[in-house]
Amino acid sequence: MNDLVRQHTALSDSDLEWLHLLVSEWQLLSDLSFADLVLWVPTLDGTRYVSVAQMRPNTGPTSYQDDMIGHLVPRGRRPLLDAALDEGRIVREGDPEWREEVPVRVESIPVRREGRVLGVIARNTNLLTVRTPSRLELTYLQSASDLAQMIAAGTFPFPGEQVDMDSSPRAGDGLVRLDADGIVQYASPNALSAYHRLGLAADLVGQHLGQITAELAPSRGPVDEALVTLASGYAPREFEVEGNGGVIQLRAIPLKPKGTRIGSLVLLRDVTELRRRERELITKDATIREIHHRVKNNLQTVAALLRLQSRRMDSDQGREALNEAVRRVGSIAIVHETLSQNLDERVEFDEIADRVIAMVAEISPGKVTCRRTGRFGILDAEVATPLSMVLTEVLQNALEHAFAQGEQGTVEVAAVRGEPRADARLLITVQDDGCGLPEGFDPQRAGNLGLQIVRTLVEGELGGSFDMLPGAERGTKVVLDIPVQPQK
């Protein structure tokens, strides 16, 4: 719609926002009317109309089998559009049109904003299945007529009220029509069933919806006056009511077809099962985070015990082996600590990498500088945990073997994330400017425990590749190539 409006019309950005607000609401008008809606806007030179949006009803057959968006129609070909645009009124005159042997009643509703007519809604009703309307259908049609008059007057949609149509109740979910005093004139079967879920034993018709709703909702004090007002439909609001084990979502729409409120339309939906599942998911998420938190605490306890044991070791080799184990356990604990703070099993690995680099750098006497470039991005937990251990081993190996005691140097961790495709890869390079690899060194056959861990994790768990190469000028370069899931 943005492209069509800006290409063909003279409407401003604020006018376009009003059309967006209208289009976000007009599924309701389409369902209540049992009709297709097409929004036509006059072109910049005023000689044609361009269709910028279209909606089909959920409550009846469509009048348009084809997509109408982007069609251009010259002025004069559709007199009802001309009359609605020029006179600023709803136009219903004329005989039904025949489209592919289907009679279609056409009406035109001007779209007004701040006294100006921005465009025209063509309402097209398929008459092939017309029969004697029921009370529900009559209520639908009367409510649609009131909303159409409000659109023509510029009082609907309501400015500042952004509705999420994916979660908001729709006409078919349940509908209640109120008079100006908040008394129920009509309640659809779905609406009545929803109130029975709240504990209502009687009929809704003739009852004051606000008072009934407040009485059904549990309260420890006096009747909630705010709830009475909301359920009476005095203002456009969306809210939920819970009682008797049920949860109902309501949306109130004041009806002011001639500028004065004549009543309200209340759409409602029973969301009891939906809210129950949401609570179960929240409980599950909280349980998972608590598990990660406890695992992190247990790992930190293990690391502390290993650290205590290393201090009692007389053998320097044994002490160093225990310190390496402390760092390995610590790298896993960092991942679980991050997961304990998230709502899902995905982590921002850049923070983890920085903490791993800082942890391993503690073994350096302060002469070697470690830094990170590039971004790892968001990774799944099953990738983050082994990758943190791999990064720990590679950094630890570089700091221990690349530099002599007290020698200055640099270790750089570079990460390059591939394009967000199904076969996306993460390329990690750990480059030092130390003494380089020994003569005849083969990283694939080296028996060092750290390198064995790296090979096992990278090739076995991560499904990637690992290699150690001489640096371009000096030092050693470790290259890790790992497949990753696309970032969301």
Side-chain angles (χ1 to χ4, degrees):
M1 186 166 72
N2 287 354
D3 294 339
L4 288 171
V5 168
R6 287 168 179 155
Q7 179 182 356
H8 294 285
T9 78
L11 297 182
S12 65
D13 288 343
S14 56
D15 292 334
L16 180 56
E17 284 301 317
W18 181 262
L19 295 184
H20 274 294
L21 187 60
L22 172 65
V23 168
S24 72
E25 293 274 23
W26 70 345
Q27 179 72 65
L28 175 62
L29 178 62
S30 178
D31 290 345
L32 294 176
S33 303
F34 308 98
D36 291 75
L37 305 179
V38 179
L39 178 57
W40 296 92
V41 180
T43 57
L44 184 62
D45 57 9
T47 61
R48 296 181 296 175
Y49 299 96
V50 58
S51 58
V52 298
Q54 179 179 1
M55 179 59 65
R56 293 182 174 90
N58 294 318
T59 52
T62 183
S63 302
Y64 287 110
Q65 298 297 328
D66 299 327
D67 191 351
M68 294 295 297
I69 296 176
H71 282 216
L72 290 165
V73 173
R75 264 185 78 95
R77 179 174 296 179
R78 301 193 177 184
L80 297 187
L81 293 182
D82 299 338
L85 183 68
D86 298 338
E87 301 172 23
R89 65 181 179 89
I90 299 175
V91 182
R92 296 189 176 95
E93 297 88 354
D95 297 327
E97 298 180 1
W98 287 84
R99 299 175 188 163
E100 298 180 358
E101 300 183 355
V102 175
V104 176
R105 182 175 64 242
V106 181
E107 304 167 84
S108 294
I109 305 167
V111 178
R112 191 183 302 274
R113 175 179 180 264
E114 297 180 351
R116 297 179 299 113
V117 177
L118 307 181
V120 179
I121 295 175
R123 181 163 56 177
N124 304 269
T125 306
N126 187 325
L127 300 178
L128 196 61
T129 58
V130 169
R131 53 186 172 78
T132 304
S134 64
R135 179 72 188 280
L136 181 144
E137 291 168 330
L138 289 173
T139 303
Y140 271 31
L141 293 172
Q142 180 58 53
S143 301
S145 176
D146 294 335
L147 288 177
Q149 292 182 56
M150 293 169 65
I151 292 173
T155 57
F156 185 82
F158 302 108
E161 189 202 13
Q162 192 67 32
V163 177
D164 184 359
M165 295 309 297
D166 291 334
S167 61
S168 184
R170 300 192 176 190
D173 297 326
L175 179 143
V176 176
R177 174 82 185 221
L178 309 179
D179 65 13
D181 297 322
I183 306 300
V184 177
Q185 295 179 309
Y186 174 79
S188 71
N190 284 345
L192 189 58
S193 297
Y195 265 83
H196 286 166
R197 186 73 175 263
L198 286 181
L200 179 68
D203 194 1
L204 272 176
V205 176
Q207 305 272 14
H208 190 282
L209 187 67
Q211 293 177 358
I212 285 292
T213 304
E215 290 172 2
L216 293 173
S219 175
R220 297 181 181 178
V223 173
D224 189 343
E225 294 297 331
L227 182 57
V228 172
T229 302
L230 287 174
S232 299
Y234 290 108
R237 292 289 186 274
E238 191 169 313
F239 56 99
E240 287 188 4
V241 176
E242 184 171 357
N244 194 40
V247 184
I248 293 181
Q249 183 182 16
L250 299 97
R251 183 190 176 200
I253 303 173
L255 298 176
K256 303 176 182 180
K258 297 182 179 179
T260 303
R261 181 174 169 275
I262 63 168
S264 302
L265 197 63
V266 178
L267 306 178
L268 56 94
R269 179 173 58 166
D270 186 346
V271 293
T272 305
E273 292 303 313
L274 178 63
R275 295 296 176 260
R276 182 184 63 81
R277 289 195 296 269
E278 288 177 351
R279 288 168 184 152
E280 288 179 352
L281 288 174
I282 291 172
T283 302
K284 178 182 176 182
D285 289 339
T287 302
I288 291 174
R289 291 199 300 273
E290 179 62 22
I291 290 172
H292 284 303
H293 181 71
R294 294 190 181 190
V295 169
K296 182 264 297 184
N297 288 344
N298 290 337
L299 290 172
Q300 288 180 337
T301 300
V302 171
L305 291 173
L306 292 173
R307 197 176 292 111
L308 286 173
Q309 186 66 39
S310 71
R311 292 172 183 169
R312 295 175 177 269
M313 293 288 293
D314 296 329
S315 168
D316 291 340
Q317 186 177 2
R319 186 183 303 111
E320 182 56 33
L322 288 176
N323 287 335
E324 288 181 2
V326 167
R327 286 188 286 273
R328 289 166 183 149
V329 173
S331 66
I332 302 174
I334 290 173
V335 177
H336 282 282
E337 182 179 5
T338 305
L339 288 169
S340 70
Q341 300 168 2
N342 291 347
L343 293 177
D344 55 17
E345 293 290 288
R346 294 168 67 81
V347 295
E348 179 64 60
F349 196 79
D350 295 311
E351 177 187 350
I352 294 175
D354 291 340
R355 294 181 62 180
V356 166
I357 291 171
M359 178 185 68
V360 177
E362 291 179 359
I363 68 173
S364 171
K367 300 293 185 178
V368 179
T369 302
C370 297
R371 63 170 179 261
R372 173 180 63 86
T373 60
R375 293 191 68 252
F376 289 84
I378 298 174
L379 298 176
D380 293 333
E382 56 264 28
V383 174
T385 300
L387 183 57
S388 67
M389 284 196 65
V390 168
L391 193 58
T392 300
E393 296 299 330
V394 172
L395 287 170
Q396 188 169 294
N397 187 73
L399 291 173
E400 285 183 354
H401 302 294
F403 305 98
Q405 184 70 24
E407 184 182 359
Q408 293 185 351
T410 302
V411 178
E412 180 178 288
V413 179
V416 178
R417 188 76 176 255
E419 293 295 325
R421 303 183 308 234
D423 58 347
R425 304 189 73 82
L426 175 62
L427 184 66
I428 305 167
T429 304
V430 181
Q431 172 80 56
D432 67 66
D433 55 2
C435 62
L437 295 172
E439 186 72 23
F441 179 81
D442 184 358
Q444 302 302 328
R445 297 179 178 274
N448 179 286
L449 176 60
L451 291 181
Q452 288 180 8
I453 292 174
V454 170
R455 283 199 302 270
T456 301
L457 292 178
V458 171
E459 297 173 0
E461 289 199 31
L462 297 176
S465 61
F466 155 72
D467 200 4
M468 293 182 72
L469 309 167
E473 298 180 359
R474 58 173 301 181
T476 304
K477 178 169 68 174
V478 176
V479 180
L480 307 171
D481 189 359
I482 300 169
V484 292
Q485 292 292 325
Q487 298 189 72
K488 297 179 180 180

